[in-house]
Amino acid sequence: PSKLPRARKALRALLDQKGRPLGRVAGEIERLTTSSVKVVFRIDEGPKVRIGEIKFEGNTLFDESELRQALELTKERTMFTVFGGDDMYIKEKLEYDLQVNMMETYRAQGYIFARAGEPIVRIVEAGQGLLLGFRKTKQQYYITVPVEEGEQYRYGSFEVEGVVNLDPDLVERFYNIVPDEIVNYVAMKEANDLLKKAYSAIGYLDVTVIPQMTPDQETKKVDVRIEIEEGKQYIVHRINFAGNTKTRDSVLRREFFLEEQDRFNG
């Protein structure tokens, strides 16, 4: 009997994922014999509920349309979201959208301490629109997201440590960090990925790139230090093929830039 509440909760979660949060699940037990029972789950799926409105509070740098555009997984219901399912409210998707996708919009403009608070989610009855086939559901999610933008930060000092097998000037050009310019956290992440690819091209597959950012709340500047652990350089030991019954290995090998015993190039 103790498993029934967990089973009902799992079924309710499935209804939520399908955009039916008002559905109901009841579990009943019918005894068949002295040692067996029949378990029946009676499900009322309830009406579809889609996101009718997403609003923000506390935003001054970006207007609501720009912040809504930054949400990639969660959208208000429109004629473009009807078939993709982006207008269904799923808590985990909204949280990722707010804490990652939307926050990148702020962090690309130097607002490194911007944060999105806990969204207020309500189900209300609202207007459905007039366009048949693309109308909103009768019951809709109204979502309000509080935003704390914080203050804008600029770059202070910049240094790179641990570079041995690449040109240090080249590494600094990857980041293109200029003191007193606005901090762009998103560009830094992209530079980290490009740097790892550059190391992979000369065989360093285990390179670790650790950005250390030290903000000063008085000057509103961020000192950046990139710590690099290059690791070991790899060579191509063996190139094997499997499943080639009609083409010889030698024919396939001559299509490869990589050769055995050469330095690996990602």
Side-chain angles (χ1 to χ4, degrees):
S2 64
K3 292 184 177 180
L4 282 181
R6 295 201 299 271
R8 286 198 300 268
K9 184 177 180 180
L11 291 172
R12 280 296 311 275
L14 186 60
L15 288 173
D16 288 344
Q17 291 175 9
K18 297 298 182 181
R20 296 180 180 271
L22 300 178
R24 296 179 179 179
V25 179
E28 300 175 1
I29 297 177
E30 301 176 6
R31 182 159 297 280
L32 299 178
T33 67
T34 56
S35 60
S36 64
V37 297
K38 176 181 180 180
V39 180
V40 179
F41 291 102
R42 304 195 183 279
I43 300 173
D44 176 9
E45 292 184 341
K48 290 182 180 179
V49 183
R50 297 294 187 265
I51 298 173
E53 181 179 89
I54 301 176
K55 295 179 68 67
F56 300 88
E57 293 180 346
N59 54 302
T60 59
L61 182 65
F62 300 102
D63 60 34
E64 289 193 334
S65 62
E66 290 176 300
L67 295 182
R68 279 194 291 266
Q69 187 66 29
L71 305 180
E72 298 180 6
L73 307 175
T74 310
K75 303 287 187 182
E76 292 180 350
R77 187 173 180 87
T78 66
M79 62 185 301
F80 302 107
T81 64
V82 169
F83 304 106
D86 295 336
D87 56 4
M88 285 196 297
Y89 167 67
I90 298 176
K91 182 178 179 180
E92 292 76 14
K93 284 187 176 182
L94 177 61
E95 183 176 353
Y96 183 87
D97 254 343
L98 295 175
Q99 303 303 331
V100 178
N101 294 329
M102 191 181 79
M103 284 300 102
E104 284 192 347
T105 303
Y106 278 99
R107 288 166 187 157
Q109 297 295 327
Y111 291 83
I112 61 175
F113 290 115
R115 62 181 297 272
E118 186 69 24
I120 301 170
V121 182
R122 299 176 294 136
I123 296 178
V124 302
E125 288 193 8
Q128 296 179 268
L130 302 176
L131 191 59
L132 294 177
F134 302 103
R135 300 178 67 187
K136 295 183 179 181
T137 54
K138 185 176 181 181
Q139 283 84 15
Q140 301 169 26
Y141 283 107
Y142 272 37
I143 300 173
T144 304
V145 181
V147 178
E148 295 180 15
E149 295 180 330
E151 298 186 71
Q152 191 179 55
Y153 280 71
R154 295 178 178 269
Y155 287 117
S157 63
F158 174 64
E159 57 182 327
V160 178
E161 296 180 355
V163 179
V164 177
N165 294 286
L166 281 180
D167 182 352
D169 292 336
L170 174 64
V171 174
E172 291 186 9
R173 286 199 296 272
F174 273 114
Y175 289 90
N176 193 29
I177 289 178
V178 178
D180 291 326
E181 285 193 354
I182 293 171
V183 173
N184 188 334
Y185 184 74
V186 177
M188 284 188 57
K189 288 173 58 180
E190 294 173 351
N192 290 342
D193 293 337
L194 289 173
L195 182 58
K196 290 177 182 178
K197 288 183 179 179
Y199 270 104
S200 175
I202 58 173
Y204 289 87
L205 301 179
D206 298 332
V207 63
T208 302
V209 180
I210 306 172
Q212 299 285 356
M213 301 178 66
T214 307
D216 188 321
Q217 294 189 358
E218 291 185 3
T219 63
K220 300 297 181 289
K221 289 189 176 182
V222 179
D223 295 333
V224 179
R225 184 175 74 253
I226 307 298
E227 298 178 358
I228 298 173
E229 299 176 6
E230 294 183 336
K232 296 180 179 180
Q233 189 181 50
Y234 287 81
I235 64 169
V236 181
H237 179 51
R238 293 284 300 275
I239 299 176
N240 297 318
F241 300 90
N244 52 315
T245 58
K246 297 182 179 180
T247 307
R248 294 175 181 270
D249 277 19
S250 58
V251 176
L252 297 178
R253 286 176 190 275
R254 68 184 182 217
E255 301 298 324
F256 272 62
F257 291 107
L258 290 177
E259 294 184 3
E260 293 178 349
Q261 305 310 312
D262 278 357
R263 184 179 65 190
F264 181 81
N265 184 330

